[in-house]
Amino acid sequence: MGSSATPSTAASAPGRRKVALYLALLTLQYGAQPLISKRFVRQEVIVTTLVLSIEVAKVICAVILLVAEGSLKKQFNNWSITRSLTASGLPAAIYALQNSLLQISYKNLDSLTFSILNQTKLLFTAFFTYLILGYVLVIPPIYILQCIDDAHDLMKQKQSPKQIFALTLLIAAAVLLSIGESSSKGSGGGNSDYILLYGIIPVTVASVLSGLASSLCQWASQVVLVIVLSMKHPIAIVDPFNKMQVKKHTSYMMTIEMSFIGSMCLLASTSQSPDGEAIRKHGFFHEWTLLTVVPVLMNAVGGILVGLVTTYAGGGFVIVSALLVTALLQFIFDGKPPSLYCLIALPLVMTSIFIYQKYPYVDRKKKD
């Protein structure tokens, strides 16, 4: 929990060039993904088959990278099914649903509008992080351990005034874009209700789910802290698993766990869902083409890159740059310039992300 990196962490961290490469690749992937998905995935493709294929591709990529690192055996030796389900089960199920909603939205919104609305997940991540890490869970005082210094910081995340202002800008941009784009599609001859139901609402709900799942992952990737309240015992920190600090997963192992669990949830849902019925009727690869594989692989590689970038560099630069990449690619390949609403919302979102990343909350007492 300390601020200084341990020798092992420093040794395992990639060099600046490699981090720069991760940032560049993720920026291109993030910026191009909406455009590629819209162009290469037919409207009739079954959404569940896309998401399942992406999750399988993620597992394959993560296993290959663990083998290349030489740490595959060590990671699986330390693996525990109880710990895995506790840490990754709920976030994995949420991410599976979120990915399905994103695939629906890809098809029904222009790429830049999708990318801008998708950034509202920052707002919901901040909200759920405070909500989840601010909760106090009361259990019987069985295993009492010494309280650690960072417990308060972990259990109660705060936002700086500038971050709150940034989130306000993000809300304003999202509301402006949602109302503006749906009304303009209607006045332009399109079906505004269809755009709202199958474009704007899915990506907004997906952003809510992304914020919730990200906060759960943040909680699970740290030591699982439980505050014990008792008349006989002071506040203490316990680990409900093994009475010892839970070992942190690598980003690759977390990817494998979450993709596997998410896939199981999706497969279970096919027994009753319309997508499951469509798969049984038309086959798994209904309306797939060779080009459909491209966004699947891009999405899988992007999932791996997200874990690396957030671990070693943070993602604010990537998000801002990717929005510009999306706008540029949409203009080059579709010949479609950004709408007036996008031109107003884009700088608001970029400013919001920059401020949020640049000015985090600082505890003045600790600083002094």
Side-chain angles (χ1 to χ4, degrees), residues 59-118:
V59 171
I60 293 172
C61 289
V63 169
I64 291 173
L65 290 170
L66 283 174
V67 171
E69 279 187 350
S71 59
L72 180 66
K73 184 177 180 181
K74 179 182 178 181
Q75 286 295 321
F76 277 95
N77 285 340
N78 292 331
W79 183 79
S80 163
I81 187 169
T82 302
R83 191 179 304 157
S84 174
L85 289 173
T86 304
S88 304
L90 185 56
I94 294 172
Y95 273 129
L97 177 57
Q98 178 220 354
N99 289 334
S100 298
L101 291 170
L102 290 179
Q103 295 299 327
I104 295 171
S105 188
Y106 277 142
K107 302 176 184 179
N108 298 297
L109 284 177
D110 70 77
S111 302
L112 185 57
T113 302
F114 170 87
S115 295
I116 293 175
L117 287 176
N118 195 31

Side-chain angles (χ1 to χ4, degrees), residues 36-51:
I36 296 294
S37 295
K38 191 168 185 176
R39 292 171 72 93
F40 291 170
V41 178
R42 294 180 177 178
Q43 194 77 20
E44 298 80 8
V45 170
I46 303 169
V47 170
T48 300
T49 65
L50 273 176
V51 179

